[in-house]
Structure formats: structure tokens, C-alpha cells
Amino acid sequence: MSEIEQTPVELPRGIALAWGVAANPQRGPKREMSVERIVETAVELADREGIGAVSMAAVAKKLGFTPMSLYRYVSAKDDLLLLMQEEATGLPPEEHRTADGWRRALEVLFRAQVEIYLRHPWILALPIAGSPITPNSSAWLDAALGALAETPLAPSERLAVALAVTGQARWCGIVNAGYSEAARADGLAPEEVAAREAALFDAVIDADGYPALRGAIDAGVFLDEADPFRFGLARLLDGVEGYIARLDRGEPPASEGGWIELDDADVLEDKRYRAAAKASRDAQKALVAAEKALRQARRAQAQALKEARERAAR
């Protein structure tokens, strides 16, 4: 057995609290206090006022205790944020267990994840520092992997699909929560926010500088009621379904391609390869600079045209 395997893993305090294996405080306030009460109060505060309003002092005030009382139970704000995320995330819906097939199960999980982000948008503002190894978060990952358990996908491929669906749900949550917040702040309906955004695009995007985007604007994509995230998820799952079908037929999966992977140190040190790689990087930098200069020139041209028309109209 390796030295790493022999060394016991010490759980960080926040993770230990989430799993209920952290040591209880030796002393505490006379009135009833618990980690659960602290976390529930913090979640309520974040839901009502945003994550920026959450501090140990603010939570303590809501509970009627001093901040030092809280630190006996939750020793750091980062631990509190982790526990808040765990509380707000909850467990995956039971519906995924009875869903008809892996695809339907993943769709159920996707929808439920988006709903969590809309109920608790502050979760989206929390930094991602690796996988949250907590009971509820682990249950969500387990649910997605379980949905794919009967497929011929390799374990690493099941994880990749689970992460792709989770990422799509998070992106959907970010955009929809942002629109909801903008609507709330400005007193507008979500469709009014979308209309305002479409008008702004229409005002600044021209066919010369952004021909494809201009075409999309003219086609009314920003006012289309179709859900782009549902479409994106469907196409993602179509791809997984097609991949699984190839495996079921015994066909080798199509090459992923597109990436240059070099593990040979001799190749990486080859002078001609290094020179070619440098030339490629330099060309890419030059292309970025040229595109930036082109955008600036077009903006200057548009401004000059606007000013010329204003002078002609006087």
C-alpha cells in the first residue's frame, strides 16, 4: 500500500460539517444554537438581499447572537458559503429515478438544476474551487452517473456527459437569473428586457462589421420565443445518443480530433517544431491585433459618417 493510501484524509471543516462528522463546539451560547439554524438563516438572507448581504455579523444579528457565537459552530465564512450552497442545492428530484431512459432522466435533472439557480441565484456568484464534496452535491452527480449506468459509455465518458449537462444548466441559470434581476431592478417584464436588448443590438451592429450577427438580428433571433438552452441540451443529448448507438453496433467511436496532443519530449524540443509553433503563436497575435484595428477603424468610420450626416442636416 502506498504512503498516500496509508495516510488518513483529514476533511476540511466545512466538508466535515456538511457530512455531520465535525466535532461539536465545547462551549456555546446559552440559548439554542446549531449549524442548521445558522445556515438556514444565511440562506434566507441571501435569497432576500443577495450574497453580498451575507456576513457572519449579519447572520449573527438575525439570530440575536454575537458573531463570536457563530464562530464556535462555523469557523470561517468560506465554510458558511459551502454549507449554504449545500442547503440551497438540496437533493435531486425523485422523478429522475422513474424516468423513461437515461435521456429523460438527464432532462429531469437539468430542469431541476435550473430551477434551483432561479430560486437561489446567489449560488451562481459563488466561486468554483473544485467539486463541492458534500452530501447533496454528491447526490446530484450520483444521480447523473446513475442515469447513464446501463449505457455502454465508459465511466469517464459518463462523467463527461454529467458535467456537460450540469454546465449547460448552470449557463442557462446564469442567463435567466440575469434577465430576471434586470427585470426586477428596472421594473420591466422579462420580455421587455429582451426587447430592450434587441433594440440595443439593432442600434450598434452593422452588416459591414458583423455580417452574421446582423443577419441574426434581422431574422429576429433576440425576440424569438424559442428556448435556445432547451435546443442546446437536445442537440447535446442527440450527440450522446448517436455515440451510444455506435457503441451498441460495435463500431469504433469517431475520432474526436481538433487537438494537438504531444507527449513526446523529443518532439517538443525539436528546433523546427518549436520554430513552427512560435510562428503560429506570432501569427495568431498578429491576427488578433489586426482584427482589433479593423474594429476600431470601422467604429471611427461609423462615427465620421454620423457626424457628416449631422453637419449636412444643419
Side-chain angles (χ1 to χ4, degrees):
M1 184 178 291
S2 69
E3 182 179 347
I4 294 178
E5 292 173 332
Q6 293 174 345
T7 304
V9 175
E10 182 177 353
L11 295 176
R13 172 91 178 152
I15 294 178
L17 285 169
W19 287 97
V21 296
N24 291 323
Q26 296 299 313
R27 295 183 298 111
K30 294 182 179 180
R31 286 187 289 171
E32 182 181 352
M33 171 73 83
S34 67
V35 172
E36 290 75 18
R37 281 195 64 196
I38 294 170
V39 174
E40 289 171 1
T41 301
V43 169
E44 291 171 1
L45 184 60
D47 286 344
R48 186 169 57 252
E49 301 180 32
I51 196 65
V54 176
S55 66
M56 299 297 273
V59 175
K61 183 178 179 181
K62 289 288 183 182
L63 288 167
F65 295 112
T66 65
M68 287 307 300
S69 299
L70 266 65
Y71 281 111
R72 295 191 182 102
Y73 293 82
V74 181
S75 57
K77 183 179 177 181
D78 285 347
D79 293 343
L80 177 60
L81 294 176
L82 178 68
L83 295 171
M84 289 171 61
Q85 180 176 349
E86 173 75 353
E87 172 70 16
T89 298
L91 291 171
E94 288 297 312
E95 183 186 352
H96 84 275
R97 300 183 187 278
T98 57
D100 184 16
W102 64 266
R103 179 165 181 156
R104 176 58 183 160
L106 291 181
E107 291 172 344
V108 169
L109 293 172
F110 170 86
R111 186 178 67 247
Q113 286 175 331
V114 173
E115 290 173 353
I116 289 171
Y117 292 135
L118 294 179
R119 287 198 305 272
H120 310 287
W122 51 267
I123 294 178
L124 298 165
L126 299 179
I128 297 177
S131 300
I133 308 172
T134 53
N136 290 346
S137 295
S138 298
W140 281 88
L141 183 55
D142 183 76
L145 294 176
L148 297 162
E150 300 302 320
T151 70
L153 294 175
S156 60
E157 293 170 335
R158 294 172 194 165
L159 178 61
V161 174
L163 293 177
V165 173
T166 297
Q168 183 78 349
R170 185 177 183 88
W171 177 231
C172 179
I174 289 173
V175 173
N176 282 287
Y179 272 88
S180 296
E181 174 57 25
R184 185 196 65 78
D186 297 338
L188 301 174
E191 57 270 19
E192 291 175 315
V193 175
R196 181 178 63 184
E197 182 181 74
L200 291 173
F201 268 112
D202 186 57
V204 299
I205 300 301
D206 61 76
D208 290 335
Y210 310 90
L213 181 54
R214 182 67 248 181
I217 293 169
D218 292 339
V221 295
F222 292 106
L223 297 175
D224 197 316
E225 294 182 359
D227 186 346
F229 297 104
R230 180 177 298 178
F231 177 87
L233 178 68
R235 301 295 75 76
L236 186 159
L237 297 180
D238 281 349
V240 175
E241 196 167 46
Y243 182 82
I244 289 174
R246 288 197 298 273
L247 295 179
D248 284 336
R249 293 194 297 268
E251 300 176 6
S255 174
E256 294 178 2
W259 295 96
I260 299 176
E261 297 181 359
L262 295 173
D263 297 324
D264 191 336
D266 292 336
V267 172
L268 294 174
E269 292 301 320
D270 183 88
K271 290 183 178 180
R272 284 184 294 179
Y273 169 75
R274 292 170 61 186
K278 183 178 184 301
S280 177
R281 291 193 298 269
D282 290 343
Q284 182 64 34
K285 291 179 181 178
L287 177 60
V288 171
E291 290 176 340
K292 180 179 179 180
L294 177 60
R295 289 193 296 271
Q296 292 173 339
R298 283 173 171 164
R299 284 197 293 268
Q301 180 185 7
Q303 181 63 28
L305 177 61
K306 178 182 176 182
E307 293 174 354
R309 287 173 173 169
E310 290 175 349
R311 288 194 296 270
R314 293 173 185 167

